[in-house]
Amino acid sequence: MNKDNIMEVKGLHKRFTSKGVTVKAVTDVSFSVKPGETIGIVGESGCGKTTLGRCIVRAYNASEGEVFYRTKGGEELDFLKADKKKMKEIRKEIQMIFQDPYSSLDPRMTVLDIIKEPLKANFPKMPKDEMDQRAKAMAEKVGLNPMYLMRYPHAFSGGQRQRIGIARALVIEPQIIVCDEAVSALDVSIQAQVINLLRDLQRELKLTYLFISHDLSVVEHISDKVGVMYLGRMVEFAPAELMFEKPMHPYTEALLSAVPVADPTVQMERIPLKGEIPNPANPPSGCYFHERCHYCIEKCRTDAPALTEMPDGRLCACHRAKELNLKGFVYDEGAGAAQ
Amino acid sequence: MNKENILEVKDLHVDIHMTEGLLTAVRGVNFEMKRGETLGLVGESGCGKSLTCKAILGINDRKCVPSGQILFDSEGLGKVDLLSLDQKGKEIRSIRGKEISMIFQEPMVAFSPMYTIGNQINEATKLHITKDKQKSKEISMDVMRKVGIANVEKRYNQYPHEFSGGMLQRALIAMALVCNPKMLIADEPTTALDVTIQAQILELMKELQKDFNMAILFITHDLGVVAKMCDRVAVMYLGKIVESAAASEIYANPQHPYTRGLIGSVHKIGSKKEDRLFSIEGTVPLAMNLPKACGFYDRCDVRIEGLCDKAEPELTEIAPGHKIACFNCPHEACRAQREKVEEALAKGALTQSPSEDPGPAKAVPKKKKGGAQ
């Protein structure tokens, strides 16, 4: 494991089998994360981004592969092979924020109890007063009024509930937070509040985020590096601005061209994709994307390209990555966001 | 009613009778639509955009009572006020689905899982166009082809679960277009879809709009989609339109603080990375027992104390086609309104100021009567 990294994912596979049919939800995904970074994972529904996130927090047991993790104490270990005792240690350091702020909170617990629950589970010997104090302090940090902590979740709006979810994840002071579509269910003005909050907390608490989302403009805003997934495979992994400005994988190019930009003067030429996403239980031969790709050559039909390092340091899984000159967004140096 | 217009909504209110009291979800909405244009209705959840479009078709829940006027230029009936029609009568039925049709948000939910896709598209054809089974089937299949469904003969007899989300949304569009409507209401038609599918569906809708010469009322909260699709935009907040203008104008020159906040809180891909997003503080208040004040007062960063919390601004035209409802706008028309209201306030005519919009003035006492608290 590299000294600079907090986490390294190597050759991660996850297969689900049901009624004799095996679906490869995640196939051979590798990437590394530095402390304090935000990694965005994007892709269409069914591409395996949520499964990947769940494998990383070990909510699912991965079928194959390794996830190396460096604990606060500096210990390196393979997360997926850790025993129960070690697991408990690591769980304190990796937490998750869920998509739906309505179903991820127990309606029969008060907000204070919800925020305290991780403390009870992980530090059973902690005195009650301290637990209360910590939960209250965390609630304040995420912008909840401590007066309202004895209320139940139904009394809160979507944005406030997401803040409760964030407080619950942060109360045991983790290092890594997996945010699975954490802002997708929120309205735009509330979305901006929560994104700003996540960013402030990251600076203050030196958090590392794995930000899973289908919303490319949110991902571009929040991420340092972005991974694009297609049919269970990571097809490109690059610094955010580099990827949005100059994608190297044809799928990334098509995905970017489909994003509606909130500015009528920007008219992107859309690169249409042929057909639909193939069935993951019966993926195509060779490169999974070849049937829909405009740049497909004979080799793509038979050989699956591996995720390899490109001259500029990014990772890309395409036979023709180096020769293709793909279009991304034109970065406008002068103008900021419309105000 | 203006000849160019196909639809005029005048002072539309929608009241919802709840056990807690009366909730006025739509509080005096005015807009008009020209033939063949796309109007975007933008706003956050709970601002009343869906209720507005459901009121047009008369498909609101029984608890939601609309009032006001919705004038529609119908082919069969001439100019009619849709709200004055019996909501279960013959007249509205001849308009609903034939002259005005609707695309719903979730294609998975909009179709019945019990019937084949063809059967469900056929329903409208048989009701409005022809009783002949063979002919109506042909018409339905034709529209299915037009919206880009391949292998129609096989698809016609399939059930919704055999379709992917994008294909199902195409089928839903086919169902809406089968009677060649003059107006289409699209309630968040692509929110449930992936970006690549969304782009396909939006392009399809644009193409079909040209072919059919339809007016589209496009309801969404996604400002990116609006930028791509709409000619004009109306921004709604708390049951009222706070700003309306041409799409290019609203992005380049937003005037209302809410519109500015909304546009600022979306990160624009391709723009320089800003450290923090602009965010509007607070949350949308519940439209119950509202004080007689600007609905945006609590969250506004340019509010004027003693004015914005005492009176409600009306929609005022500041440039051709550009209207806003705000007191704190440097434009002449807005200043004139502000001075008028300030004068009225100074006289102490708080409750019955003559310069006020009669709509909300009527609505306020109603709310007090129904209010539980």
Side-chain angles (χ1 to χ4, degrees):
Chain A
M1 194 173 164
N2 193 316
K3 263 188 207 161
D4 298 337
N5 294 340
I6 187 166
M7 183 183 255
E8 277 179 19
V9 179
K10 276 186 185 160
L12 192 77
H13 288 256
K14 176 67 192 171
R15 293 179 282 265
F16 293 104
T17 309
S18 127
K19 291 178 190 162
V21 181
T22 304
V23 174
K24 289 181 188 168
V26 172
T27 314
D28 199 14
V29 168
S30 309
F31 62 95
S32 56
V33 186
K34 289 195 175 66
E37 266 186 335
T38 303
I39 308 284
I41 306 280
V42 292
E44 295 176 272
S45 46
C47 72
K49 51 190 193 300
T50 295
T51 311
L52 175 67
R54 296 199 163 195
C55 285
I56 286 170
V57 297
R58 215 173 153 185
Y60 292 152
N61 273 321
S63 314
E64 231 179 275
E66 288 152 325
V67 177
F68 291 108
Y69 173 69
R70 190 187 306 279
T71 60
K72 275 183 197 168
E75 199 184 340
E76 273 175 36
L77 32 88
D78 184 354
F79 186 23
L80 300 183
K81 293 190 183 70
D83 57 20
K84 260 194 177 165
K85 214 175 141 201
K86 272 266 163 352
M87 253 338 282
K88 246 193 152 171
E89 291 288 305
I90 306 172
R91 282 257 157 85
K92 286 178 199 167
E93 303 191 5
I94 304 181
Q95 286 288 312
M96 194 158 180
I97 301 169
F98 297 92
Q99 171 168 18
D100 186 354
Y102 291 86
S103 59
S104 60
L105 303 177
D106 187 339
R108 294 177 51 159
M109 286 166 83
T110 63
V111 169
L112 186 66
D113 284 337
I114 290 174
I115 301 177
K116 257 187 349 196
E117 203 180 14
L119 288 173
K120 279 185 191 160
N122 289 297
F123 304 96
K125 285 182 194 138
M126 188 186 276
K128 265 197 165 168
D129 292 354
E130 200 190 333
M131 272 191 203
D132 280 358
Q133 230 171 26
R134 275 217 200 177
K136 277 181 187 159
M138 188 45 73
E140 214 161 331
K141 205 170 261 176
V142 300
L144 290 167
N145 190 338
M147 297 254 296
Y148 299 148
L149 291 184
M150 293 317 284
R151 296 190 180 183
Y152 290 89
H154 72 87
F156 292 85
S157 67
Q160 281 175 313
R161 283 177 196 225
Q162 203 55 297
R163 285 173 199 263
I164 298 170
I166 293 170
R168 174 176 63 182
L170 293 182
V171 73
I172 51 169
E173 294 167 0
Q175 292 202 77
I176 297 183
I177 309 276
V178 176
C179 309
D180 187 3
E181 304 268 11
V183 296
S184 308
L186 306 174
D187 271 320
V188 273
S189 72
I190 309 298
Q191 208 173 45
Q193 289 174 8
V194 173
I195 290 172
N196 285 341
L197 171 70
L198 284 172
R199 181 155 272 217
D200 294 344
L201 290 169
Q202 179 171 40
R203 299 251 163 87
E204 199 185 329
L205 307 171
K206 305 208 165 44
L207 298 169
T208 307
Y209 289 137
L210 197 69
F211 200 88
I212 298 166
S213 178
H214 67 273
D215 188 334
L216 280 122
S217 43
V218 170
V219 166
E220 197 230 20
H221 173 71
I222 202 165
S223 308
D224 301 307
K225 285 180 189 159
V226 180
V228 180
M229 289 187 72
Y230 180 76
L231 215 66
R233 282 176 187 268
M234 181 126 358
V235 295
E236 191 167 354
F237 187 76
E241 243 169 81
L242 204 60
M243 174 176 299
F244 281 85
E245 200 172 357
K246 224 188 145 318
M248 274 184 124
H249 196 281
Y251 177 67
T252 314
E253 186 193 32
L255 197 65
L256 293 184
S257 77
V259 177
V261 181
D263 183 353
T265 55
V266 178
Q267 287 297 345
M268 290 266 299
E269 193 190 333
R270 191 170 74 83
I271 296 147
L273 286 179
K274 293 175 266 181
E276 292 190 26
I277 300 179
N279 183 356
N282 183 21
S285 62
C287 172
Y288 281 5
F289 188 58
H290 83 257
E291 286 170 344
R292 307 180 73 193
C293 184
H294 292 277
Y295 311 101
C296 174
I297 51 171
E298 205 44 53
K299 196 180 173 192
C300 304
R301 293 199 177 99
T302 49
D303 293 358
L307 202 61
T308 43
E309 198 168 328
M310 295 289 127
D312 57 3
R314 76 170 100 187
L315 303 172
C316 181
C318 177
H319 292 307
R320 301 186 64 193
K322 281 175 200 162
E323 47 177 304
L324 294 173
N325 190 13
L326 305 179
K327 263 186 288 179
F329 283 94
V330 181
Y331 274 77
D332 177 6
E333 281 302 314
Q339 278 283 323
Chain B
M1 191 174 176
N2 195 321
K3 259 191 187 165
E4 279 178 4
N5 293 342
I6 186 161
L7 184 85
E8 280 180 18
V9 174
K10 285 182 181 164
D11 198 24
L12 178 72
H13 284 75
V14 179
D15 296 331
I16 306 176
H17 296 274
M18 309 210 301
T19 41
E20 294 92 348
L22 187 81
L23 191 150
T24 313
V26 179
R27 310 181 298 139
V29 161
N30 293 288
F31 66 87
E32 62 277 328
M33 285 185 70
K34 294 190 180 68
R35 278 165 223 282
E37 81 165 347
T38 308
L39 174 69
L41 209 53
V42 189
E44 295 177 275
S45 46
C47 73
K49 51 193 196 302
S50 282
L51 282 173
T52 303
C53 70
K54 281 185 183 166
I56 295 172
L57 280 178
I59 52 171
N60 267 326
D61 199 84
R62 211 180 298 163
K63 277 185 292 187
C64 309
V65 184
S67 59
Q69 258 191 329
I70 299 176
L71 297 173
F72 178 67
D73 186 10
S74 154
E75 239 160 56
L77 302 163
K79 276 156 203 159
V80 281
D81 179 4
L82 296 179
L83 283 183
S84 70
L85 299 175
D86 176 9
Q87 297 300 307
K88 285 183 178 161
K90 237 184 186 173
E91 287 104 346
I92 189 99
R93 285 185 171 210
S94 73
I95 291 174
R96 205 186 275 157
K98 182 157 192 274
E99 296 190 52
I100 308 177
S101 58
M102 186 158 174
I103 304 174
F104 296 91
Q105 178 171 5
E106 295 230 3
M108 300 287 177
V109 183
F111 277 104
S112 162
M114 303 288 287
Y115 297 94
T116 60
I117 294 285
N119 197 329
Q120 293 183 58
I121 295 177
N122 229 344
E123 210 175 341
T125 330
K126 276 195 283 197
L127 190 67
H128 292 300
I129 301 178
T130 171
K131 291 272 182 290
D132 188 300
K133 269 188 192 168
Q134 196 52 41
K135 239 188 209 162
S136 80
K137 188 176 172 183
E138 268 164 32
I139 295 171
S140 306
M141 281 185 158
D142 224 36
V143 177
M144 280 172 81
R145 265 180 220 114
K146 251 186 210 152
V147 298
I149 296 176
N151 206 353
V152 169
E153 280 75 17
K154 187 178 146 208
R155 287 295 206 178
Y156 187 85
N157 290 317
Q158 277 183 335
Y159 287 88
H161 74 267
E162 295 171 275
F163 277 58
S164 66
M167 272 300 145
L168 216 49
Q169 193 58 284
R170 281 173 196 262
L172 197 59
I173 292 175
M175 190 152 91
L177 297 186
V178 74
C179 295
N180 208 342
K182 286 198 294 183
M183 193 182 143
L184 182 70
I185 300 171
D187 187 1
E188 309 243 8
T190 57
T191 309
L193 304 175
D194 278 319
V195 274
T196 52
I197 313 288
Q198 167 174 287
Q200 285 173 18
I201 297 286
L202 293 180
E203 269 159 36
L204 173 72
M205 284 178 70
K206 259 187 168 172
E207 262 170 49
L208 293 168
Q209 180 178 29
K210 265 187 217 151
D211 293 354
F212 288 75
N213 192 24
M214 283 184 301
I216 300 182
L217 180 58
F218 203 98
I219 293 162
T220 182
H221 65 267
D222 188 331
L223 288 160
V225 172
V226 173
K228 215 169 176 181
M229 288 293 290
C230 300
D231 305 317
R232 278 197 308 132
V233 181
V235 181
M236 272 184 91
Y237 185 79
L238 206 64
K240 280 201 153 188
I241 291 179
V242 294
E243 180 162 8
S244 76
S248 50
E249 175 80 6
I250 225 153
Y251 285 93
N253 186 20
Q255 287 296 323
H256 196 280
Y258 178 62
T259 318
R260 279 204 296 267
L262 210 56
I263 292 173
S265 47
V266 179
H267 170 70
K268 216 168 79 187
I269 297 187
S271 66
K272 216 176 171 188
K273 255 194 177 176
E274 63 273 33
D275 193 42
R276 289 173 66 91
L277 290 171
F278 182 82
S279 77
I280 308 171
E281 292 306 314
T283 48
V284 186
L286 192 67
M288 205 182 271
N289 303 313
L290 286 176
K292 194 176 168 55
C294 175
F296 193 55
Y297 178 76
D298 291 335
R299 306 177 75 188
C300 186
D301 51 1
V302 295
R303 64 184 166 213
I304 308 167
E305 269 168 57
L307 176 65
C308 296
D309 54 347
K310 296 237 165 62
E312 208 165 8
E314 280 174 61
L315 213 54
T316 318
E317 191 153 23
I318 57 164
H322 193 161
K323 291 179 186 169
I324 86 160
C326 182
F327 286 127
N328 198 355
C329 166
H331 198 272
E332 254 171 63
C334 288
R335 271 228 297 274
Q337 186 195 183
R338 179 177 163 182
E339 275 160 22
K340 229 171 159 184
V341 173
E342 269 173 340
E343 212 172 284
L345 281 174
K347 275 182 197 159
L350 277 183
T351 38
Q352 281 144 8
S353 114
S355 66
E356 286 295 302
D357 179 12
K362 242 194 302 174
V364 168
K366 250 198 228 165
K367 258 178 266 153
K368 276 180 187 156
K369 227 190 280 168
Q373 289 151 354

